Structure formats: C-alpha cells, structure tokens
Amino acid sequence: MGKTVRLTMAQAVAHFLKKQMTIVDGKKVPIFGGVWAIFGHGNVAGIGEALYQVRGELPTYRAHNEQGMAHAAIAYAKANFRQRFMACTTSIGPGALNMVTAAGVAHVNRIPVLFLPGDVFANRAPDPVLQQIEDFGDGTVSANDAFRPVSRYFDRITRPEQIIAALKRAMQVLTDPLDCGPVTLSLCQDVQAEAFDYPESFFEERVWTTRRPRPDADELANAIALIKKSEKPVIIAGGGVLYSQATKELTAFAEEHRIPVLVTQAGKSAIDERHPLALGSVGVTGTSAANAIAVETDLIIAVGTRCQDFTTGSWALFQNEKLKILGLNIATYDAAKHDGQTLVADAREGLKAVSSGLAGWTAPAALAEKAEQEKKVWMEAAAKAMASTNAALPSDAQVIGAVTRSIDLEKAIGLCAAGGLPGEMHKLWPATVPGSYHMEYGFSCMGYEIAGGLGAKMAHPEKEVFVLVGDGSYMMLNSELATSVMLGLKLNIVLLDNRGYGCINRLQMATGGANFNNLLKDAHYEVMPEIDFRAHAESMGAVAVKVASIAELEKAIADSKKNDRTSVFVIDTDPLITTEAGGYWWDVAVPEVSPREQVNKARKAYVEARAAQRIG
C-alpha cells in the first residue's frame, strides 16, 4: 500500500486542495485561489481546524453572507477564465442553503466552484441536531440534497476514506471544459473529525491543464462546406471563446474570412469592439447593427454559446428561410440546439481548423459593407444615448457614458448582473480587452454585483473594478462591501437609485400591466422608504458620495482615484428611460384574457410577434 499519513477527513481535504496546481501564463500556480468560509457547528471543529493548519498555503477568507461569498468565488473563476477557482464551506442548515442560489449561478454559467457544506451526523447518534432538516419519509435526506440539481457532481461523505475518490472526481469535473461547473461534497460533521491512514501519494502535487479536443474529421469537412455555401454568414461569440482563450483566433478568423462578429452577454469582450467587423451585442439587448445582420443571416456560426433566449430573440430574430446553424461547441448539447450542424471541439482548436480548411475563402464583400454601414448608424445612436446631460434624473445609458469616459477601459473591468443595467451595458459598454466586461446574465441573479466585484478584484488586483448596480440589487445583497474594505480590495461601486425595480416595472408596462409592486411608489406602504445609500455605504467603511448630476459623477470618479478603499457613487436615475435604438422582441407570455384593455392590446401584439418564432 505504501506510506500513509494519519489525518482527519477534513485535514485530508485541506492538504489535498493545497497541492492542486495549474499553469497560467507559463507559471505554475495553485489552482485554488483560497477558501471562503463562514463557520458554524457543522464545520468549525472539522474543516475549520483543518484550514487553520494550511492557512499559509491555502488562504481562508471570511465573508458576511454565504451567498455573497459563493458569488465572489464564482466571479473569481469567471475572471480567471476558469483556469483558477475557489472553495466555499459553511455549516449545515441555513448556511448551506444560502449557497444554493449561487450554485445555480455557477451551474447555469458553467463556472467551477467547490462547495463544502457541513452535513448532519453520519452516525445519527445525536439526531436531530441543530439546523437539521428531517424528512418524514426518507432518513437519508438533508438540506444539502437541495444542491443536487445545481451541482455537476454531488457526493455525501459518510466515511473518511470516501473523500479520496470524491476529491479526485471533483477535480476532474472542475477542470474539464465539458463537465465544468459546481461540485458539492457534503461533509458529515462527525466524519470531518474522524481519522484515517491516507496514502501519502494522495497528497502529491498535481498540475492540471486545459483539455482541448480537436474536431472530428467528418464534422470539420461538413462545417467547411456549410460555410462555403453561405452568402450571409455571421459569427455569434459566446463565453466559450473567452474560456478557451480563443479571442485572437476569433479575430483572425473574422478578418481572414470577412465575417461579422456578434456577441452574447457572456461573450462580450471576446473581440475588441473597435474592430470594424465587431457589431456588438445580439438579440433582445442587441445593437441595431448586430440585429440587422442577424435578421438576414443564412448561417449562424455559434461559437461557445448556449443560445439562450436573450441571444436569439426567443428564436424569432433569425428570419432568413434558408437559415442554418453551425454549432462550434465543446458540448454536443449546446452545439446541436435547433437542429444545428455540430462541430464538437475546443473553440480555439475548432476555429483554427475551420479557418485552415477555408483558406482563401471570404464571405461576399457586400456583407462586410453592410456591417460597416450598420455599425456607423449604431455608433451614432450609442453616442447620443450616452452623451452627457443636465437632466435631474439621467438614464442608465447616460451614467454608463459618464463612467466609460472617466476610466481607462483597457485597465478596468465593468461588472453587473441583473435588472435593466445589463441590457444597457450589453449594448453600450465599449469592451476592448478580454475580460474587461464581466456580466452574470446566465442566471440573472440580483445581488451578484458587489460580491462578484470582490471576486473579480481578487482575480485581478491590478485592475480597477467598476460595479454598476441598481438600488434593488444593492438592497438584496450588499454585505460584501464591508468584506472588500476588510480585505483592502478597492472596488468602485456606481449605485443607480431609481427607487425600485425599474426594469421589471418597464416590462410590466410593456406587457399591458398596471404599475404594480415594482417601484416603491406603486407598492403597498404606510411610510415611503427614504434610504440614505451614501450613509449606508459609509457605515460599512467605504468612501461614499451622493452626486446630483452626470458632471458631478465624472468629477467624483476622477477624485476617487486617490481613495485607498472601496468607493461608492450614488446617483438618482430615471426608471423609465432606456436606449431606444437596438433591442429585439422577447417572449414574455401575456394573459389571453383580461378586463384591462391595455393587456388585451399587448396580447394581440404578443401573438403577432410569436408568429416569427422558429419552433424546434
């Protein structure tokens, strides 16, 4: 059997994690950037004691909220293009369940995070323990079973030796570009403290590298033939381009074959948007240029995207009857969507192989000419939307304009998650370098923003991280603002206060609904809330300022460069104004019958729009 070392199961976890390595920019580094932990009775004496032993090699970070720390871990992995990631541990019960929403974020976005929630006693001697969920019909159930549908791999460790196989499987999932996503190892609290004679070989250093599958010969030949037959091809670049680090190859492919590039939320920054063939965002929150090309395209080359409804305009955007889809994706599941012709491969390797097979071929010149014309029109509309203003309540777009004029875009990360801001940022944020745009829109999880900003800053301390967040999301989860101050990681938080859930209020109005329960003024109240966001941010240690205009915002951002800690800029905004140019229909079901004429009118428009959908 070889030499062994006697450790508790939790100690074995800690010693194993610290020995996992990867290669980034030619340098060997730990693959785990650290562990986020909020201790309770289910993990303090087990995993807590174990993490203390390795704190010099595997740092542990304390957060204020379990969901927040998990969002920070997700953002860290996303900002590192999935090359490095983090672990999160909690006690049993509410601490564990607080991470389930974040696990959903990681699962939908295919982001690697290792969740290590404490669990009930495997021996069941003290049952029911504090915070234990009891299932009257199944004695094996615990709160952690809620992680099963939002984990790529789930295991419950009921004996100390089980962790050997479980951790090996966890690493395979966390590092595999196809299976990549959250892993949950549910650690029974008594087993965390049990000792076992582990093989020393289990703790040997392991270097993990990215697997890059190359295309199948037949699929490659079919893809090349498909492109050569097309007259109006377009590339839709998703997050897979960034995770494959294929941005140079994407740009080279577009240039060599004269094919316009459109980007999803996850794929934005995969190409420098100053490039003449880069038409920006596509779909519901798309630019007018991108959508004008998408409407007419006869071939979508979908690279590293899962083609969610915001990208496809709920599959109503593409109107060419001859349309075909070529799915270049590492996952067959995504590549084959809507009868797509599959090219299952790593994005970088796939682009290189297809480009080589297309040597000398370019799309008709008229396509690039139309792209240039449409982009010119869009850029004029975008500049108008983002222009400075003296309005008492500026639009989201005007705030975005102020921020982008005030920073070095190549040395900054713009980060956001949910509400109306993602749509405006998708259209308007001028992404120039890979990773300079960081958006969680796969799960569109309110509350991700500040915690996500913290994770992005941990991944890139040399960058200025600008978090744009609405008052609704801020109120949902702002506690990691204090964590950023505690850790000395400066964030720049632009808080847009439109006094409620402005995005959903607009959607409500667009579908014929009455203004109801979204803006504070339209909700049931006895006393209208008057929240002093500046004072609140200051109470958590940030430098905060309330500005009264776009000009004041730009000055405040300039002045904040001397600040040594997280800075918050609060500005009141208009909840109704959005950028009129661009955009596309989104399938939001409207009631078939209603006593309100506005709803009936919206239903009629909905039925007409739905007729354009591609079914299946």
Side-chain angles (χ1 to χ4, degrees):
M1 179 177 176
K3 292 184 178 180
T4 62
V5 55
R6 192 162 182 80
L7 298 169
T8 68
M9 182 267 278
Q11 291 164 358
V13 171
H15 285 283
F16 177 88
L17 296 185
K18 76 178 186 181
K19 287 294 187 179
Q20 308 310 302
M21 302 288 168
T22 190
I23 304 296
V24 178
D25 296 330
K27 182 181 178 181
K28 184 172 70 174
V29 295
I31 202 166
F32 283 94
V35 180
W36 284 100
I38 293 181
F39 295 132
H41 67 93
N43 65 343
V44 66
I47 196 73
E49 185 271 345
L51 291 173
Y52 175 81
Q53 291 185 13
V54 300
R55 65 193 184 282
E57 301 157 282
L58 182 67
T60 296
Y61 302 103
R62 180 197 179 283
H64 293 281
N65 178 280
E66 293 89 355
Q67 184 182 152
M69 72 184 192
H71 286 324
I74 292 165
Y76 178 87
K78 181 178 174 70
N80 273 302
F81 301 141
R82 304 196 307 197
Q83 292 179 285
R84 301 185 71 200
F85 36 80
M86 306 183 92
C88 298
T89 181
T90 69
S91 181
I92 74 170
L97 288 177
N98 277 348
M99 293 198 298
V100 173
T101 297
V105 171
H107 191 282
V108 169
N109 290 288
R110 281 68 176 230
I111 302 295
V113 184
L114 178 59
F115 293 109
L116 301 171
D119 209 331
V120 298
F121 277 66
N123 65 27
R124 304 190 187 179
D127 286 8
V129 298
L130 180 67
Q131 299 180 333
Q132 180 173 342
I133 298 289
E134 293 183 274
D135 187 305
F136 292 0
D138 187 345
T140 68
V141 167
S142 83
N144 288 348
D145 286 283
F147 282 94
R148 291 181 183 272
V150 287
S151 297
R152 287 288 189 171
Y153 174 66
F154 177 93
D155 201 350
R156 176 173 284 114
I157 309 304
T158 59
R159 291 180 57 87
E161 62 268 36
Q162 291 173 350
I163 201 66
I164 298 175
L167 281 172
K168 289 180 178 179
R169 176 61 183 145
M171 289 305 301
Q172 291 167 357
V173 173
L174 292 167
T175 59
D176 188 279
L178 172 58
D179 289 338
C180 189
V183 169
T184 300
L185 301 183
S186 184
L187 307 181
C188 290
Q189 56 187 295
D190 53 338
V191 182
Q192 289 183 37
E194 292 178 9
F196 183 77
D197 294 318
Y198 291 94
E200 285 190 351
S201 59
F202 182 57
F203 305 106
E204 291 176 355
E205 183 177 286
R206 171 76 184 270
V207 178
W208 299 84
T209 55
T210 302
R211 182 184 296 113
R212 294 189 177 278
R214 290 169 172 76
D216 170 78
D218 289 340
E219 286 194 343
L220 178 61
N222 179 63
I224 293 167
L226 201 61
I227 294 172
K228 285 183 175 180
K229 291 178 183 177
S230 67
E231 297 179 355
K232 298 179 179 181
V234 66
I235 299 166
I236 296 182
V241 176
L242 290 163
Y243 299 143
S244 176
Q245 299 174 76
T247 55
K248 290 182 181 178
E249 287 74 16
L250 173 68
T251 302
F253 187 98
E255 289 176 344
E256 185 169 347
H257 308 296
R258 305 300 295 162
I259 303 176
V261 178
L262 325 180
V263 293
T264 69
Q265 282 281 18
K268 190 174 171 78
S269 82
I271 186 170
D272 187 335
E273 294 194 354
R274 295 170 295 190
H275 194 287
L277 288 169
L279 301 187
S281 58
V282 63
V284 176
T285 54
T287 68
S288 61
N291 286 347
I293 296 296
V295 164
E296 297 181 358
T297 184
D298 61 351
L299 176 64
I300 299 168
I301 306 172
V303 186
T305 173
R306 61 193 184 92
C307 293
Q308 60 121 312
D309 64 343
F310 258 62
T311 298
T312 66
S314 299
W315 289 104
L317 173 59
F318 315 112
Q319 297 178 10
N320 191 325
E321 292 184 359
K322 297 179 180 179
L323 177 73
K324 293 186 181 299
I325 302 170
L326 172 62
L328 169 49
N329 204 295
I330 203 156
T332 306
Y333 179 87
D334 292 317
K337 283 176 178 171
H338 274 252
D339 292 329
Q341 302 293 305
T342 60
L343 183 60
V344 179
D346 168 72
R348 192 169 80 183
E349 295 301 320
L351 285 168
K352 289 194 295 186
V354 174
S355 189
S356 177
L358 288 173
W361 181 89
T362 61
L367 180 62
E369 292 170 2
K370 178 175 175 61
E372 182 180 0
Q373 293 168 359
E374 295 289 353
K375 184 169 185 175
K376 182 179 179 181
V377 173
W378 165 251
M379 294 304 292
E380 291 174 354
K384 182 179 179 181
M386 293 195 292
S388 188
T389 178
N390 291 321
L393 294 177
S395 67
D396 291 355
Q398 289 162 341
V399 172
I400 292 169
V403 174
T404 55
R405 286 191 296 271
S406 304
I407 65 177
D408 185 340
L409 289 165
E410 296 194 2
K411 296 180 180 179
I413 297 173
L415 186 145
C416 189
L421 276 167
E424 296 292 67
M425 288 184 68
H426 195 203
K427 289 181 182 180
L428 303 170
W429 189 273
T432 57
V433 265
S436 59
Y437 179 87
H438 183 126
M439 183 67 65
E440 193 297 286
Y441 211 62
F443 213 42
S444 184
C445 185
M446 295 179 73
Y448 175 90
E449 295 90 340
I450 293 173
L454 178 57
K457 184 66 174 180
M458 295 177 84
H460 293 287
E462 78 285 0
K463 299 270 191 178
E464 287 286 345
V465 177
F466 275 82
V467 176
L468 278 75
V469 60
D471 57 300
S473 267
Y474 181 90
M475 289 295 289
M476 282 194 177
L477 187 56
N478 53 58
S479 55
E480 304 325 320
L481 190 159
T483 307
S484 74
V485 175
M486 181 174 73
L487 294 178
L489 294 168
K490 181 187 176 185
L491 303 179
N492 303 281
I493 300 170
V494 183
L495 199 170
L496 292 77
D497 182 7
N498 61 21
R499 295 154 302 286
Y501 303 135
C503 173
I504 294 301
N505 182 71
R506 293 192 298 272
L507 181 61
Q508 189 173 55
M509 294 170 65
T511 53
N515 289 27
F516 174 62
N517 205 49
N518 286 313
L519 298 183
L520 293 173
K521 68 181 181 63
D522 300 321
H524 176 79
Y525 66 89
E526 297 295 330
V527 178
M528 175 61 69
E530 294 293 340
I531 304 166
D532 189 337
F533 289 107
R534 182 199 60 77
H536 183 268
E538 282 186 342
S539 75
M540 290 196 286
V543 177
V545 60
K546 174 74 178 283
V547 299
S549 67
I550 289 295
E552 283 190 22
L553 175 60
E554 292 188 36
K555 182 179 185 302
I557 292 174
D559 292 343
S560 73
K561 293 176 182 177
K562 66 179 183 298
N563 294 346
D564 61 355
R565 61 189 187 278
T566 291
S567 302
V568 177
F569 316 93
V570 182
I571 185 169
D572 291 337
T573 57
D574 193 309
L576 299 181
I577 303 175
T578 58
T579 302
E580 294 182 4
Y584 207 76
W585 179 73
W586 183 35
D587 192 342
V588 178
V590 180
E592 283 195 60
V593 294
S594 171
R596 301 185 72 253
E597 182 56 34
Q598 298 96 319
V599 175
N600 295 327
K601 183 178 179 181
R603 174 69 189 188
K604 181 179 179 182
Y606 171 72
V607 172
E608 292 173 355
R610 199 170 60 176
Q613 277 184 310
R614 292 168 48 87
I615 304 300

